[in-house]
Amino acid sequence: MYAKQLYVLDGMRKIQYIITMTKEHFIQSRADLETYITLTNEEKIWFDSLKGDSLPLRITHYFASLIDPFDLLDPIRRQVVPSYKELQSHGQESEDPLCELEHSQTPRLIHRYSNRVALLVSDHCATYCRHCFRRRFTAKKDAIISWDELEVVGEYLEKNQHIKEMLLTGGDPLMVNDDRLLSIITSIRKRRSDIVLRLCTRVLATYPARITQHLIDMLKNFSTAPIYVMSQFNHPRELTKESIQAISFFVENGFPVMNQTVLLKGVNDDVDTLEELMNALVMIKVKPYYLFQGDMVEGTSHLRLPLLDAMEIEKALRMRLSGLAMPTVAVDLPFGGGKVPLSGTYYKGQKNEKTHIYMNLYGKEIEYIDP
């Protein structure tokens, strides 16, 4: 038995927190991965060329079990098995495409939009998705937010009453154990009992066993303002009996669940797949919230669609889905340009074959260059 040990520094004291996950839950090496699949040449090159600053390999055995080992183009595989293409950088890609560092009040508190903030609770996830937009932060220190940092965050919330929502994110906040998560939310709600929390997590898809009645009972104690669960399901095959059971823990106990899907080349870039996913989500009481064009993160161009292809998918989905099942299709513009609808009034057309022009929320023209 192996326990994942997380350390945070609180003044002069070092406190150890344990997440009850055994080593057997994770695939973290080439040898482990090859017990599931035979690597392609593109995948082997990533391991052979691995750099210290690369997003590491981590997949739960549960999520790996969803991969069809005989399908080299399997959509689950493409999301989590690294390729040498991640070692390449193109055009506008950067390690911080949303300019979160520029808007950080502390290393873990991001204030990009006036009425909401994001708190990076932990820097690790159950599974590291290869399209991760926060590679600059994820899996760097294997740490969670400290008591001292929480105090600073609380003071900031008290001083800025116009902030109405906080995203608990990371990494994944549900990689923190229940007791520590209890203390984090308690600290926030003591300062601002009225703040709406968004619990942003991928474990519903990648490690549904994390969702327990104990976790739900703990969260139900915080009733002064809502807690919304923000999931990420990218393909219908991720909606297994285990993940549906995990979702039901939340929805049957009064926690709304909303889903954010990332549009990924070779994963869900066809209308049939997305139609099936969105309708399946609605059937299990999950609202499809956003369908995001992939962010301009270094090493992810092979997973991003050309904008015109994405727009065609959006148009086709609108013809097939109800208003309830149709997500908002959006793009986060490069250089911290902000989130806008993919098409419509913010899209101003093409400068050339690959360069598109958007007007952001502040009236600034921003170029978006296809991979």
Side-chain angles (χ1 to χ4, degrees):
M1 184 70 70
Y2 167 91
K4 184 70 180 173
Q5 298 180 337
L6 307 176
Y7 298 97
V8 294
L9 193 62
D10 180 23
M12 296 301 293
R13 298 182 298 120
K14 184 168 278 189
I15 304 173
Q16 178 178 323
Y17 295 97
I18 307 297
I19 288 180
T20 54
M21 296 183 81
T22 62
K23 186 176 182 180
E24 289 72 28
H25 282 94
F26 299 124
I27 295 169
Q28 299 187 98
S29 70
R30 178 173 177 169
D32 289 342
L33 184 57
E34 288 183 320
T35 64
Y36 279 90
I37 60 174
T38 300
L39 296 178
T40 66
N41 286 335
E42 289 186 358
E43 293 162 349
K44 290 176 181 177
I45 291 172
W46 183 86
F47 284 100
D48 294 338
S49 307
L50 188 58
K51 299 177 182 177
D53 59 350
S54 297
L55 182 69
L57 172 73
R58 178 185 275 184
I59 312 170
T60 59
H61 284 270
Y62 161 80
F63 203 61
S65 72
L66 305 183
I67 298 173
D68 179 352
F70 303 107
D71 182 3
L72 300 183
L73 302 178
D74 181 83
I76 308 298
R77 177 181 189 145
R78 190 164 171 83
Q79 291 183 74
V80 295
V81 177
S83 157
Y84 84 93
K85 293 178 180 177
E86 291 181 34
L87 307 176
Q88 302 171 346
S89 184
H90 296 274
Q92 296 169 308
E93 290 181 350
S94 75
E95 65 174 11
D96 184 21
L98 310 189
C99 290
E100 290 186 328
L101 290 173
E102 180 182 328
H103 295 93
S104 294
Q105 305 302 312
T106 76
R108 290 181 177 271
L109 183 66
I110 302 164
H111 195 172
R112 258 183 97 201
Y113 300 102
S114 62
N115 64 350
R116 55 199 182 275
V117 293
L119 185 65
L120 308 183
V121 173
S122 93
D123 74 345
H124 50 286
C125 303
T127 293
Y128 294 138
C129 301
R130 310 323 299 180
H131 57 275
C132 178
F133 77 94
R134 209 170 269 146
R135 286 167 173 251
R136 62 173 176 80
F137 175 83
T138 304
K140 296 302 182 186
K141 295 182 179 179
D142 215 19
I144 61 177
I145 191 168
S146 71
W147 298 110
D148 289 344
E149 288 173 311
L150 273 173
E151 281 297 304
V152 175
V153 168
E155 291 171 3
Y156 189 81
L157 292 177
E158 282 187 332
K159 291 177 182 177
N160 294 274
Q161 293 291 317
H162 61 282
I163 296 172
K164 303 301 181 185
E165 298 180 23
M166 171 176 275
L167 286 70
L168 301 180
T169 181
D172 195 313
L174 289 186
M175 287 300 289
V176 176
N177 70 25
D178 288 357
D179 289 342
R180 182 63 174 136
L181 187 61
L182 171 65
S183 68
I184 291 169
I185 299 177
T186 299
S187 175
I188 293 167
R189 283 283 172 84
K190 277 184 177 179
R191 301 288 193 140
R192 287 284 304 278
S193 62
D194 63 322
I195 199 160
V196 174
L197 297 178
R198 299 192 206 177
L199 188 60
C200 306
T201 181
R202 180 86 158 118
V203 300
L204 288 164
T206 63
Y207 183 54
R210 170 66 181 92
I211 312 305
T212 63
Q213 191 61 53
H214 183 272
L215 170 67
I216 299 300
D217 291 342
M218 182 271 285
L219 292 174
K220 287 171 72 173
N221 290 321
F222 299 99
S223 57
T224 57
I227 296 176
Y228 286 79
V229 179
M230 313 304 292
S231 63
Q232 184 187 144
F233 288 91
N234 294 327
H235 194 276
R237 279 187 23 222
E238 296 172 19
L239 290 171
T240 65
K241 64 178 182 180
E242 292 85 1
S243 63
I244 292 171
Q245 175 62 44
I247 290 167
S248 71
F249 268 118
F250 283 114
V251 297
E252 301 304 331
N253 283 279
F255 297 97
V257 181
M258 306 180 77
N259 190 70
Q260 303 181 127
T261 295
V262 183
L263 187 56
L264 298 167
K265 190 174 183 179
V267 174
N268 56 18
D269 56 332
D270 67 276
V271 180
D272 289 343
T273 297
L274 289 171
E275 179 186 18
E276 180 184 352
L277 174 63
M278 302 309 164
N279 283 327
L281 288 168
V282 169
M283 284 298 296
I284 56 174
K285 304 179 183 178
V286 177
K287 166 59 184 161
Y289 181 45
Y290 271 117
L291 174 60
F292 279 117
Q293 170 75 352
D295 291 324
M296 291 277 196
V297 193
E298 287 182 348
T300 62
S301 62
H302 61 293
L303 295 172
R304 262 195 327 276
L305 266 68
L307 275 183
L308 294 182
D309 291 353
M311 290 178 187
E312 285 299 313
I313 287 174
E314 176 185 15
K315 181 179 178 181
L317 283 175
R318 289 195 179 281
M319 296 176 68
R320 296 194 189 188
L321 294 175
S322 70
L324 183 61
M326 183 70 198
T328 296
V329 186
V331 57
D332 234 316
L333 298 174
F335 313 119
K339 187 188 300 117
V340 297
L342 185 73
S343 58
T345 58
Y346 294 96
Y347 180 68
K348 299 304 178 183
Q350 290 179 267
K351 182 176 179 180
N352 54 48
E353 184 181 355
K354 287 198 170 187
T355 304
H356 304 260
I357 307 296
Y358 277 95
M359 185 76 73
N360 76 356
L361 296 174
Y362 309 102
K364 181 181 178 181
E365 284 195 353
I366 295 177
E367 292 186 356
Y368 182 106
I369 302 175
D370 280 332

